[in-house]
Amino acid sequence: MADTSDQAASQDQAYFDKMKQQILDALETVIDPELGVDLINLGLIYGVDLDESGKCTVEMTLTTMGCPLTDMLDADIKRVLTTIDGITSVEIHLVWYPAWGPERLSRYAKMALGIH
């Protein structure tokens, strides 16, 4: 009996790992219109989660508080994530800690923005 539950847990973990990668890949297509770089490479995504009901939660920050593009980014995030089979809803949590800084930029983002 333990083998069956271990196998089911392993399959569940594999499913959620696959889904997390699909979520991150989709978020990499959401471009910050001011900077021209995607949210993943900007280091704005702090975490993603998916529950059994298909609700995807994205924990993210912005480069500045009061960013005028928040609504546009939210809409883009929800649009790309709801195209993934298995995601039924998307909830976005904005967090301000830890504070975003240029050290969160990927090497690609630094090159794209001309930061050495």
Side-chain angles (χ1 to χ4, degrees), residues 9-22:
S10 179
Q11 288 173 341
D12 285 348
Q13 188 60 50
Y15 170 77
F16 284 106
D17 289 347
K18 178 180 146 238
M19 289 298 288
K20 182 176 181 179
Q21 190 57 55
Q22 286 183 336

Side-chain angles (χ1 to χ4, degrees), residues 8-45:
S10 179
Q11 288 173 341
D12 285 348
Q13 188 60 50
Y15 170 77
F16 284 106
D17 289 347
K18 178 180 146 238
M19 289 298 288
K20 182 176 181 179
Q21 190 57 55
Q22 286 183 336
I23 291 165
L24 294 174
D25 290 346
L27 290 172
E28 204 168 6
T29 69
V30 178
I31 306 297
D32 179 302
E34 286 185 316
L35 299 175
V37 178
D38 67 88
L39 302 182
I40 297 292
N41 281 292
L42 286 174
L44 298 177
I45 303 300

Side-chain angles (χ1 to χ4, degrees), residues 37-80:
V37 178
D38 67 88
L39 302 182
I40 297 292
N41 281 292
L42 286 174
L44 298 177
I45 303 300
Y46 285 4
V48 296
D49 195 27
L50 182 66
D51 70 16
E52 294 80 18
S53 69
K55 180 174 111 182
C56 179
T57 305
V58 177
E59 189 172 282
M60 67 175 289
T61 195
L62 300 169
T63 55
T64 59
M65 276 193 203
C67 174
L69 301 170
T70 303
D71 291 341
M72 180 193 296
L73 291 174
D74 284 0
D76 285 350
I77 289 168
K78 288 176 181 176
R79 178 183 49 77
V80 300

Side-chain angles (χ1 to χ4, degrees), residues 91-113:
E91 193 171 294
I92 299 168
H93 294 277
L94 279 181
V95 295
W96 302 107
Y97 185 83
W100 180 89
E103 69 281 353
R104 293 195 51 91
L105 294 169
S106 72
R107 184 168 184 259
Y108 165 79
K110 288 177 182 175
M111 290 172 51
L113 296 171

